[in-house]
């Protein structure tokens, strides 16, 4: 990569940040579209977060992605935050313009775009969605499903209080059930989403009986390591359409790349293979 005095700069801020796949992903697009720019990992301790953002804006950075554990802090650090990020309670994308920091959250967009690309026949408004988990990822997923017209979101989490808090914050047609009822709540659903860490490499498996899930229901997992989780394999074996979680990561990156570098990038099979070959 050859840079110039005009190179457009962006990056990902987190602590730690070495695990982030974003530099590889954005680096692929920069090369693919021939952009004079760079996207770099920026390890920043939480205590230095706000001053680091101001300094990056001062240095001419076009913006940054924000990752754990700074997504909630980014809400306060920005000069302006869009309504979706405010509702979710987290910012993952910052655009820097004339020294101002504009925050948004593209995780829900990434989630929906991944399903639209991977399962074009799925209609969010056609049937209730079942969402397992109530962490940060679940907030973005539930908000996106409500905005897409889901008639009901059934939310189940091991810690019921967290699900209640999420439902209270987001409002709308969110119905909380006990974690123990997860198999029964699949009745009549059009979508099942795992946003818990269950099934991730090194974590316990997700224990869920799928027999009540209608045959045409779409199943997706935001876990992408492994790519083919036990949940997706079991759903596929029962004939359900399935979409893996890698696409959410790839699609959430699109709005930032376009805002910083001026090209609307595409998520392709080649990009998926490149990010996976890490
Ligand atoms: P993220 O922000 O990435 O969603 P998180 O806030 O750590 O991550 O949330 C992880 C989710 O996985 C939570 O819903 C968590 O349930 P709790 O709220 O009860 O902690 C869920 N989870 C993690 N381990 C679990 C387990 N062994 N059984 C059931 N749910 C689990």
């Amino acid at each position: 990569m050859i840079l110039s005095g005009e190179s457009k700069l962006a990056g990902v801020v987190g602590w730690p940040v070495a695990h982030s796949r974003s530099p590889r992903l954005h680096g692929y697009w920069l090369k693919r579209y021939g952009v004079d720019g760079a996207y770099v990992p920026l390890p920043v301790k939480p205590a230095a977060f706000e001053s680091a953002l101001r300094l990056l804006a001062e240095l001419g950075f076009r913006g940054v992605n924000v990752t754990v554990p700074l997504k909630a802090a980014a809400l306060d650090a920005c000069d302006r935050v869009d309504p979706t990020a405010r509702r979710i309670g987290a910012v993952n994308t910052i655009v820097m313009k004339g020294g101002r920091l504009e925050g948004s959250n593209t995780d829900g967009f990434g989630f929906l775009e991944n399903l639209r690309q991977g399962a074009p026949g799925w209609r969010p408004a056609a049937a209730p969605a079942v969402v397992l988990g109530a962490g940060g990822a679940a907030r973005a997923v539930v908000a996106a499903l409500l905005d897409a017209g889901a008639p009901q979101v059934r939310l189940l989490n091991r810690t019921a209080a967290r699900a209640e808090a999420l439902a209270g914050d987001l409002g709308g047609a969110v119905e909380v059930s006990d974690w123990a009822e997860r198999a029964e709540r699949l009745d009549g659903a059009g979508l099942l989403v795992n946003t818990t860490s269950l099934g991730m490499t090194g974590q316990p498996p997700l224990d869920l009986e799928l027999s009540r899930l209608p045959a045409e229901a779409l199943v997706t997992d935001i876990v992408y390591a492994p790519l083919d989780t036990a949940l997706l394999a079991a759903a596929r074996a029962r004939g359900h359409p399935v979409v893996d979680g890698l696409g959410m990561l790839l699609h959430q990156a699109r709005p930032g790349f376009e805002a910083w570098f001026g090209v609307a990038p595409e998520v392709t099979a080649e990009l998926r293979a490149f990010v996976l070959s890490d």
Side-chain angles (χ1 to χ4, degrees):
M1 171 187 49
I2 311 285
L3 297 176
S4 74
E6 309 265 287
S7 297
K8 301 178 174 100
L9 303 176
V12 54
V13 178
W15 185 262
V17 83
H19 66 281
S20 173
R21 298 206 186 203
S22 293
R24 191 167 171 84
L25 162 57
H26 286 274
Y28 171 91
W29 279 334
L30 287 169
K31 191 165 173 215
R32 164 83 179 71
Y33 298 108
V35 176
D36 177 9
Y39 182 103
V40 294
L42 298 159
V44 173
K45 287 188 179 141
F49 181 49
E50 286 213 37
S51 51
L53 287 180
R54 295 288 159 196
L55 184 59
L56 290 168
E58 194 67 29
L59 290 170
F61 269 64
R62 302 284 177 120
V64 290
N65 284 125
V66 181
T67 186
V68 284
L70 302 168
K71 287 185 178 190
L75 209 62
D76 297 324
C78 287
D79 299 301
R80 207 180 66 84
V81 169
D82 81 4
T84 302
R86 174 89 46 209
R87 226 163 121 224
I88 294 169
V91 160
N92 76 339
T93 304
I94 298 177
V95 174
M96 299 169 172
K97 269 188 204 149
R100 279 175 58 81
L101 310 180
E102 300 188 356
S104 61
N105 190 311
T106 65
D107 285 333
F109 167 84
F111 170 75
L112 282 181
E113 286 292 297
N114 183 36
L115 296 190
R116 288 191 177 120
Q117 189 176 45
W122 173 68
R123 297 280 168 271
V130 175
V131 176
L132 304 178
R139 282 184 176 258
V141 165
V142 172
L145 288 171
L146 291 174
D147 289 349
Q152 182 187 55
V153 176
R154 301 175 185 165
L155 187 63
L156 302 97
N157 192 50
R158 175 180 59 180
T159 310
R162 262 185 118 190
E164 295 288 359
L166 194 165
D169 288 350
L170 292 185
V174 182
E175 199 180 283
V176 175
S177 300
D178 279 346
W179 182 243
E181 289 166 25
R182 57 196 182 282
E184 290 83 68
R185 298 302 281 145
L186 300 178
D187 256 340
L191 173 71
L192 166 62
V193 188
N194 175 44
T195 78
T196 75
S197 49
L198 295 171
M200 196 182 284
T201 306
Q203 299 292 319
L206 169 64
D207 173 21
L208 178 61
E209 166 61 53
L210 294 177
S211 58
R212 308 278 280 264
L213 191 65
E216 68 286 357
L218 173 62
V219 179
T220 187
D221 202 327
I222 68 158
V223 169
Y224 59 84
L227 198 55
D228 197 30
T229 61
L231 170 66
L232 295 182
R236 190 182 304 105
R238 285 175 38 89
H240 294 284
V242 303
V243 176
D244 69 54
L246 180 64
M248 179 173 170
L249 170 77
L250 306 181
H251 284 282
Q252 64 75 30
R254 285 168 42 204
F257 188 91
E258 183 171 6
W260 307 319
F261 300 117
V263 179
E266 270 191 309
V267 171
T268 60
E270 189 184 273
L271 171 63
R272 276 176 62 91
F274 179 76
V275 171
L276 285 172
S277 67
D278 196 2

